[in-house]
Amino acid sequence: MSVLFKPSGSLNVATAATDLPQQGDGTNVISDALARSANLTNDRIGFVALRPGSVNVGTALDESANFISVQNGNRYAFTAQNIYKNESAIATGLTTGNGQFSAIQYNQFNDTSEMIYAVNGAVRKRIDNTTVFEWGIEPPSIAATLGVGTGSGLTGTYFVKYTYLRKVGTTIVSESNPSPISSSQAMSNQALRVTFTASSDAQVTHVRIYRTLANDTNFYFDQDIAIGSTSVDTTTADADLGFIIANNHDRPPVGSDLCIGPLFGGYVFIAKDNLLYFSLPKQPEYFPATNFIEIAEPQDPITALTVHEGNLFVATQRKLFLIQGTVSTSFAAVPIEVKTGTPNSFCLVGVVGTGLFHLGPDGIYLLSGGVDQKVTQLNFEPLFSARVDATVNTFEGMLTVKDDDARWFFVYENKFYFHYSTGAVLVFNTDQKKWTYYKFDQQLTAPAFDDRNKRFLTGTIGKNIRQIEDVTAFDDAGTAIAWELQSKEFTLQTRRHFPRWVKYDIDLSTNVTGNLQLDGATHQSHTLTTDRKTKRRLVKTGNGRRMAINLSGTGQAKVFAVEAE
């Protein structure tokens, strides 16, 4: 009986190796199923090949990045306490918060410069090139002091409030909420002197004065004062005052964990505990205190936000919600019937035409067409079920999944990636519906896409920024890539295998070891040194009920077929 292994199928370690698919006519058997596979791509029909390598594109972080945002080709990396632009620190010693940053790219509607806005549960930051500011402007905490100034023209009793401004040129880009109300000041054809407290915030360029009409309680725009002065005398007539003061320029709430946007015409969304806050449209620095919706119970806080096919989804550990509505008055959280939520901000991602991936305690789930199914059940169930025993770290040469912060999802081109443990990655081709397994030299963190340079970037536990899936690289930043491949276990219905020879069709750059296994043990090994030389290689006498082909090597290789008889 001839056995032909043509390895381009899907990796499956959940099904018994003897029950993996095959085709045959009673005399010959063919199978493309992979019982073991590491660091090989199975995208092409007819062969598997060494996966693309990875290269370090930036070094010198203080620790591994927990978030990366790429803006116009520039890499902004966030660690627990520091922020870097292209691996040069631009902010250090920040409060760690929850130890995980989240960031978006956007700008106020009247500002032409795109900013990065970031939160981590403790700090709220706006990044403009290499300068890090606060996200929004904290309002004055001290009321203005009023008195009689130099000049004339005002008669009556007046009150004052003031705000802090950020102007770009003459354009007002951001304004704080107002100060507390001042004490009253009675005037009789006099000038009103306003003394105020300067801001310590470096982004503030001006102070704006608001004043009441005579004997009134509403506040109207009077004038702007450039930073440097702390008092002004005003004689602006009541009739010449401008617009009424705004009171909805709140900063993002203290303790904000996650952010996403812009969506639905310019709204930015922020998660804090079980509440989802949203900004004014096209004004990401203004988060009115009443602009929020409750997502779940307080004991089930928000863990992740994502956009899939134009819709905003919000997850907790146990639940998943769809945010309906497109304007602030209509936003509502609609629960979705799913089997689990997701544990962290990186484990919720959508793939157009496929569905929404989320991570449960027992596997990866896919919500598609209103049905939530565990997509790792048929191929990788042992990797997740073994996690209940902390001492079980591997299964069929693959690392098992633990409850830790190493887990993340990412979508790059037509592939879905699930990273876990110390550099283990399950890769799913969403077009071909095939799985494979990668193992990198170290844990990867903070996946990101560099749109300008079309690169898949990650951080590393070694404190670098790395490009993975680099088709020009054949190692991992200098570390050779070891690979392995194994067929299903072929069985005969009525008798044992008595293999006599093996033929290998392999394109290789370094030596490859071919092993013929009987009943789970290596029976015969062959060292392969020549490209695609398919001569018969003899097998010593022996027999077994189950036969499998195992191949291993380091470096570039393409495996087309292995035949045994």
Side-chain angles (χ1 to χ4, degrees):
M1 176 179 176
S2 174
V3 168
L4 183 62
F5 176 39
K6 293 182 64 68
S8 61
S10 186
L11 175 61
N12 187 332
V13 298
T15 301
T18 54
D19 291 342
L20 292 174
Q22 66 180 42
Q23 295 177 323
D25 57 8
T27 303
N28 302 293
V29 176
I30 300 175
S31 177
D32 66 357
L34 309 180
R36 293 177 74 140
S37 178
N39 288 326
L40 296 169
T41 64
N42 54 355
D43 299 338
R44 303 281 294 275
I45 303 300
F47 66 89
V48 293
L50 182 74
R51 66 164 170 83
S54 60
V55 295
N56 289 335
V57 297
T59 60
L61 302 182
D62 68 300
E63 58 182 65
S64 59
N66 62 60
F67 195 91
I68 298 172
S69 180
V70 185
Q71 184 184 59
N72 300 321
N74 295 303
R75 300 178 298 276
Y76 289 86
F78 299 79
T79 65
Q81 291 186 293
N82 297 345
I83 303 175
Y84 297 81
K85 179 183 179 182
N86 296 328
E87 295 72 62
S88 294
I90 59 176
T92 59
L94 301 175
T95 305
T96 56
N98 60 19
Q100 175 63 60
F101 269 95
S102 175
I104 63 166
Q105 298 178 24
Y106 199 30
N107 52 275
Q108 292 278 85
F109 75 96
N110 52 359
D111 189 0
T112 57
S113 298
E114 186 177 64
M115 307 291 169
I116 293 178
Y117 295 95
V119 294
N120 74 346
V123 301
R124 299 156 290 171
K125 298 297 182 181
R126 174 177 65 88
I127 304 168
D128 183 1
N129 194 9
T130 59
T131 307
V132 180
F133 300 101
E134 293 300 305
W135 183 347
I137 303 174
E138 201 68 31
S141 60
I142 301 174
T145 301
L146 305 186
V148 177
T150 302
S152 60
L154 297 180
T155 298
T157 299
Y158 295 90
F159 297 88
V160 166
K161 291 183 178 182
Y162 65 100
T163 63
Y164 296 138
L165 302 181
R166 174 166 63 92
K167 287 188 177 182
V168 176
T170 59
T171 302
I172 300 166
V173 174
S174 185
E175 180 181 11
S176 74
N177 268 338
S179 68
I181 189 171
S182 69
S183 299
S184 63
Q185 179 66 46
M187 311 292 292
S188 178
N189 195 28
Q190 296 168 304
L192 178 63
R193 176 161 293 174
V194 181
T195 302
F196 50 84
T197 302
S199 173
S200 60
D201 190 338
Q203 68 181 313
V204 173
T205 61
H206 292 76
V207 172
R208 171 162 284 186
I209 305 299
Y210 291 89
R211 199 196 78 207
T212 62
L213 304 174
N215 309 313
D216 193 17
T217 57
N218 294 316
F219 292 84
Y220 301 90
F221 168 66
D222 185 318
Q223 59 187 290
D224 294 338
I225 311 299
I227 290 300
S229 299
T230 57
S231 67
V232 64
D233 292 346
T234 175
T235 58
T236 306
D238 287 359
D240 293 331
L241 293 177
F243 47 85
I244 198 165
I245 197 169
N247 293 283
N248 61 350
H249 293 178
D250 302 83
R251 296 183 63 194
V254 175
S256 299
D257 291 307
L258 302 170
C259 55
I260 196 169
L263 299 168
F264 313 132
Y267 288 95
V268 172
F269 293 83
I270 278 181
K272 178 182 182 295
D273 301 325
N274 66 321
L275 304 179
L276 184 67
Y277 290 82
F278 49 92
S279 69
L280 295 180
K282 298 182 175 64
Q283 298 180 89
E285 299 188 24
Y286 301 154
F287 280 79
T290 57
N291 274 24
F292 69 87
I293 54 178
E294 188 172 26
I295 298 300
E297 303 83 1
Q299 61 270 26
D300 192 20
I302 296 169
T303 57
L305 309 171
T306 199
V307 177
H308 175 51
E309 296 182 343
N311 296 307
L312 174 59
F313 291 88
V314 180
T316 70
Q317 282 270 10
R318 298 177 294 170
K319 301 175 183 178
L320 189 62
F321 298 84
L322 169 67
I323 304 303
Q324 288 190 339
T326 56
V327 295
S328 61
T329 56
S330 65
F331 291 138
V334 179
I336 301 173
E337 291 295 328
V338 293
K339 298 169 184 174
T340 183
T342 205
N344 66 51
S345 59
F346 284 115
C347 288
L348 181 68
V349 67
V351 177
V352 175
T354 299
L356 188 67
F357 289 93
H358 55 120
L359 182 62
D362 58 341
I364 300 172
Y365 286 77
L366 176 64
L367 177 66
S368 181
V371 178
D372 197 34
Q373 292 184 317
K374 186 164 66 171
V375 293
T376 50
Q377 175 81 46
L378 297 180
N379 293 68
F380 300 114
E381 181 68 11
L383 301 184
F384 294 88
S385 59
R387 66 214 298 270
V388 300
D389 185 347
T391 65
V392 178
N393 295 315
T394 61
F395 182 84
E396 293 295 342
M398 302 172 68
L399 295 177
T400 56
V401 182
K402 309 294 184 184
D403 287 318
D404 57 32
D405 294 332
R407 298 168 295 171
W408 52 256
F409 291 170
F410 199 70
V411 176
Y412 175 65
E413 296 178 343
N414 68 335
K415 294 179 182 177
F416 163 81
Y417 297 78
F418 170 51
H419 174 282
Y420 64 98
S421 191
T422 55
V425 184
L426 298 181
V427 183
F428 180 62
N429 186 308
T430 59
D431 292 327
Q432 297 177 328
K433 311 301 181 187
K434 294 196 296 188
W435 291 92
T436 190
Y437 173 74
Y438 294 170
K439 178 64 179 71
F440 288 87
D441 59 309
Q442 59 185 285
Q443 179 185 333
L444 306 179
T445 66
F449 181 62
D450 179 355
D451 185 63
R452 171 167 290 185
N453 298 301
K454 310 303 179 188
R455 300 187 299 185
F456 183 177
L457 301 181
T458 71
T460 73
I461 205 69
K463 307 177 186 179
N464 300 319
I465 305 298
R466 182 176 290 192
Q467 177 188 355
I468 68 172
E469 294 287 21
D470 182 354
V471 296
T472 67
F474 304 103
D475 57 32
D476 285 331
T479 300
I481 302 174
W483 58 268
E484 183 187 15
L485 178 67
Q486 186 165 310
S487 71
K488 68 164 293 177
E489 290 188 324
F490 297 93
T491 60
L492 297 176
Q493 195 165 20
T494 59
R495 62 182 177 86
R496 291 174 173 265
H497 284 281
F498 288 87
R500 297 176 296 157
W501 51 259
V502 183
K503 294 181 180 180
Y504 301 93
D505 187 2
I506 302 175
D507 188 350
L508 50 86
S509 61
T510 58
N511 291 355
V512 170
T513 299
N515 295 310
L516 186 143
Q517 296 183 348
L518 293 176
D519 295 336
T522 298
H523 176 69
Q524 178 74 59
S525 294
H526 298 112
T527 299
L528 314 177
T529 59
T530 307
D531 283 345
R532 308 203 72 171
K533 189 171 184 179
T534 58
K535 70 176 184 178
R536 293 184 179 183
R537 296 175 183 269
L538 298 179
V539 176
K540 64 184 179 182
T541 302
N543 65 82
R545 299 181 185 280
R546 297 171 284 115
M547 184 180 75
I549 305 297
N550 178 279
L551 299 164
S552 61
T554 300
Q556 296 182 69
K558 292 181 181 178
V559 181
F560 294 89
V562 180
E563 184 181 7
E565 183 179 279

